[in-house]
Amino acid sequence: MAGPCAVESFDQLAAAADAAAAAGARILRGGAFKPRTSPYSFRGLGEPALRWLHDIAAARDLAVVTEVMTPELVPLVAEYADMLQIGSRSIQNFPLLDAVGRAGRPVLLKRGMMSTLDELLASAEYILSAGNPDVILCERGIRTFEPQTRNTFDVVSVPLLKRLSHLPVVADPSHATGQADLVLPAARAAVAAGADGLLIEVHPDPANALSDGPQALLPSDLAELATSCGAVARAIGRAF
Ligand code: PEP
Ligand code: MN
């Protein structure tokens, strides 16, 4: 899965989608509704961004994953997206978990920045018990005392979650590190640890991104990541 943090324009998303497709991604990501710490930060373009995600992905034979922040928005987002993302900040929004449990779409459930693995699994259980068996767990880093990185990448959560549940586990080295040059080594580590997939932020012009620019890869970096992680996957006997 690859794409920009936020959908900013048709052209920005199309360029990121070209990079994703060229690197072998199967799913285009991009936020239309963005959870932001400050209300004055860019909060997403809403429905027009959903429409661009759908059309740009379809033209490149990609599926779409995008975040949904409220139960009320689930039907709208499910109309355009193949998979619904529950963000780190929403992991214990129980009415939202119930709603995506009934939405008829797979769910990408991101670990809360302060969630234990048991709490992540309990949140997954909300979705499963509402009748939706298609949940992917995502390790995206947790808050620790270490300020050098945006989050601390808990790489051992990948094999642990696979031991504790039957669900697929993917990793998001972009949010786990917050720095573009750390994304590649963290991605390699995730694949080596057994991750079933990766979620990577890519932007055609990271310096001018409206959100998460410091962690966005350039298209050429994404291609290098795909090649390198493919080699790691093959080294441990997995396809990529
Ligand atoms: C995102 O995927 O852009 C995002 C907001 O991630 P998280 O919820 O993990 O912070
Ligand atoms: Mn982001």
Side-chain angles (χ1 to χ4, degrees):
M1 295 170 262
C5 180
V7 176
E8 299 169 6
S9 69
F10 184 93
D11 289 346
Q12 172 251 11
L13 184 62
D18 284 341
R26 318 265 168 81
I27 302 177
L28 177 64
R29 65 146 287 142
F33 297 96
K34 294 299 302 176
R36 301 307 301 271
T37 300
S38 165
Y40 307 115
S41 298
F42 177 64
R43 293 161 73 177
L45 297 175
E47 190 168 1
L50 293 176
R51 213 171 304 123
W52 294 336
L53 278 164
H54 176 273
D55 293 351
I56 287 171
R60 291 156 183 79
D61 208 18
L62 298 168
V64 170
V65 60
T66 193
E67 177 160 355
V68 59
M69 290 203 295
T70 69
E72 295 72 28
L73 281 170
V74 168
L76 177 75
V77 177
E79 217 179 284
Y80 293 99
D82 299 287
M83 179 156 64
L84 305 175
Q85 177 171 322
I86 300 297
S88 190
R89 292 154 190 81
S90 295
I91 183 134
Q92 290 193 321
N93 181 337
F94 301 116
L96 179 61
L97 298 176
D98 282 334
V100 298
R102 294 189 301 263
R105 288 270 184 274
V107 176
L108 178 66
L109 181 64
K110 299 190 81 172
R111 182 181 185 177
M113 63 186 79
M114 288 168 286
S115 311
T116 64
L117 297 181
D118 283 342
E119 287 164 346
L120 169 61
L121 291 169
S123 291
E125 199 66 32
Y126 267 84
I127 302 167
L128 301 170
S129 66
N132 186 345
D134 299 321
V135 177
I136 297 175
L137 304 174
C138 180
E139 165 60 41
R140 50 76 76 205
I142 50 175
R143 278 215 166 148
T144 69
F145 52 81
E146 177 52 65
Q148 287 277 350
T149 49
R150 180 176 182 181
N151 290 289
T152 293
F153 182 36
D154 182 10
V155 70
V156 158
S157 73
V158 174
L160 252 172
L161 287 168
K162 292 172 78 82
R163 182 213 283 167
L164 295 169
S165 86
H166 66 286
L167 298 170
V169 180
V170 303
D172 170 357
S174 301
H175 293 89
T177 63
Q179 297 167 50
D181 66 314
L182 299 179
V183 172
L184 172 62
R188 285 191 192 121
V191 173
D196 299 303
L198 296 169
L199 179 74
I200 308 286
E201 287 188 346
V202 61
H203 194 289
D205 183 9
N208 289 302
L210 297 182
S211 65
D212 287 353
Q215 69 195 34
L217 297 192
L218 284 163
S220 55
D221 295 332
L222 184 68
E224 183 196 343
L225 180 144
T227 303
S228 182
C229 288
V232 174
R234 284 188 295 280
I236 60 163
R238 298 199 66 181
F240 186 76

